[in-house]
Amino acid sequence: MNQNSSVAASILQDAAQQTYPVSALYVLATPIGNVCDISLRGLHLLGIADAVACEDTRNTSQLLQRYGLSRPLLATHEHNEREAADKIIERLRAGQRVALVSDAGTPAVSDPGAKVVDAVRAAGFRVIPLPGASAAITALSAAGLTDARFHFVGFLPSKTRQRETALQELTAVQAALVFYEAPHRIVETVQSMLQVFGPQRQVVLARELTKLFEDIHRCPLGEAPAWLEQDANRQRGEFVVLLEGAAPAGDEDAEGERVLRILLEELPLKQAAALAAQITGQKKNALYERALQLRQDAQADDQEGE
């Protein structure tokens, strides 16, 4: 046994000596792509659980096989969460340990499981989290966005009007915005974001995280549609989309006015406001009102000078 194997065996032994109460639901994060990203504590728990409640029994069965494990599986997905919760609670009453997993990542976060956790807690049983992989946190850690906070949105509505309405409600949020998106909707979603937020905000398109063809691309939002269209492979895989948060109101207003002042020197008022809206992502009507005020102030100054 080499040194690395000895260390791993020692840590696994530590995991086995920890306490794992019975009559408890264990919310267990599983890898989002790379099978090696399972925690040692999670691996041990999967070996001693009396049952594993999972989103798709086929996927979880294959995952367990990769670790040399086989456990009873309970189908627990968005269409049967209440029924599955009742079965899980019966097992907890019998003194069993039940692990709750999703197909990938952390359960109950934009995945089935929240209703199960709620029901188990309401029934008076312990819920014990075993942390691990999360697509949102993985993408954020590699994005380089400097927002001090992030706002998790998850999946947007699939219909264009509803999606853009949901995005409009987020335009003033001063935190990085975190979205999940499916490959067949990624182009439409990015187009909606461009329509609502304008071209200047930084966007990060993270796909196939931790997998062989992992791709994390950052660019101004105005360049994102072309980047996606350049290569069909860039539209494949599950996406995490990160969008730079809104600037503080004072900073945003100052930038809008700076751009307006430059454009008003060369363009008619209406055209200057429209172009400033495209450049800054701010609302055209507000910029028009500000441009009108700047033009009036300039005219008043000219009259005083005469």
Side-chain angles (χ1 to χ4, degrees), residues 244-257:
E244 184 180 31
D251 293 347
E252 186 174 307
D253 291 345
E255 176 64 8
E257 183 163 326

Side-chain angles (χ1 to χ4, degrees), residues 138-151:
T138 300
L140 278 165
S141 71
L145 297 178
T146 57
D147 302 84
R149 300 177 297 159
F150 70 88
H151 179 91

Side-chain angles (χ1 to χ4, degrees), residues 280-301:
T280 65
Q282 298 181 37
K283 293 185 180 300
K284 183 169 66 176
N285 290 343
L287 287 168
Y288 180 83
E289 293 296 328
R290 183 57 184 153
L292 187 61
Q293 184 63 51
L294 289 172
R295 181 64 56 85
Q296 291 172 349
D297 291 345
Q299 291 172 350
D301 290 342

Side-chain angles (χ1 to χ4, degrees), residues 25 50-53 73-77 80-98 116 119-120 123 125:
L25 177 71
D50 296 287
V52 178
L73 301 179
L74 307 173
T76 306
H77 46 75
N80 78 338
E81 278 188 279
R82 292 299 183 189
E83 177 186 349
D86 292 339
K87 294 180 179 179
I88 291 169
I89 289 170
E90 287 180 13
R91 287 178 172 268
L92 299 182
R93 287 198 178 106
Q96 295 188 7
R97 301 182 185 94
V98 178
V116 170
V120 168
F125 294 101

Side-chain angles (χ1 to χ4, degrees), residues 200-218:
Q200 296 303 308
R201 289 203 196 186
Q202 290 288 305
V203 66
V204 177
L205 302 170
R207 52 178 289 275
E208 296 289 86
L209 289 172
T210 78
K211 299 178 183 178
L212 180 62
F213 297 106
E214 176 182 87
D215 196 359
I216 303 174
H217 179 74
R218 175 174 163 175

Side-chain angles (χ1 to χ4, degrees), residues 5-18 20 39-45:
S5 298
S6 177
V7 170
S10 175
I11 296 174
L12 274 171
Q13 188 175 18
D14 288 345
Q17 291 175 350
Q18 294 181 22
Y20 299 87
S39 74
L40 295 179
R41 189 161 70 108
L43 195 59
H44 178 74
L45 188 280

